Amino acid sequence: MLKFFEVETRFPEDAEEIPAPAVAYVAQQVKVPAEEWAAYDWAGRAIKRHPVEIRGAFGFRECTEEDQTQLAEWLAVELCGWGCRGTGWRRPWWPVAARTS
C-alpha cells in the first residue's frame, strides 16, 4: 500500500489493483512471501490503520471540508483569473496545501 500511495497518491480499493509483479518485487524487498498479500484483510482494522500511518509518513492528512472550500476558491482564482469571495472579487492570500508539515 505504501508504494501504491507513493505512485498513485491514493489507496487501492482492493488487492487486484496492485499488479502481481509489484507485489512480488516488494515482497522480495521485505523478505516476505508474495502469497502473504492474498491474506491481507481488506475489511479489518489494519486497512483503516495503514492509510493513516502512510499519510503520516508522507506528511499528508485527510482532506477536510475547509480544505475543499479553499481549493475551490484557489482554483477559481488560478484558472479563471479572479475568484468571488464574500461580497466582492479579490485574490486570496492563502496557500493551498494538503501537507501537514
Side-chain angles (χ1 to χ4, degrees):
M1 288 184 64
L2 175 69
K3 295 306 283 180
F4 189 93
F5 183 79
E6 184 178 22
V7 172
E8 298 286 331
T9 62
R10 67 178 181 86
F11 294 102
E13 293 182 24
D14 55 46
E16 288 77 39
E17 273 197 84
I18 301 178
V23 172
Y25 177 77
V26 172
Q28 178 186 16
Q29 295 296 308
V30 297
K31 297 178 179 26
V32 172
E35 297 76 30
E36 290 292 321
W37 178 243
Y40 189 77
D41 184 3
W42 288 84
R45 292 187 333 205
I47 195 68
K48 293 172 179 55
R49 187 181 76 246
H50 289 158
V52 172
E53 292 172 352
I54 292 168
R55 279 188 205 100
F58 282 100
F60 285 89
R61 59 178 168 74
E62 284 196 73
C63 188
T64 65
E65 285 189 35
E66 177 64 22
D67 293 331
Q68 292 175 14
T69 299
Q70 287 184 0
L71 178 59
E73 291 175 358
W74 181 85
L75 287 170
V77 169
E78 293 301 317
L79 296 180
C80 301
W82 293 95
C84 181
R85 186 160 157 82
T87 58
W89 294 87
R90 67 181 199 191
R91 287 192 161 282
W93 55 267
W94 66 88
V96 173
R99 296 184 69 89
T100 58
S101 54

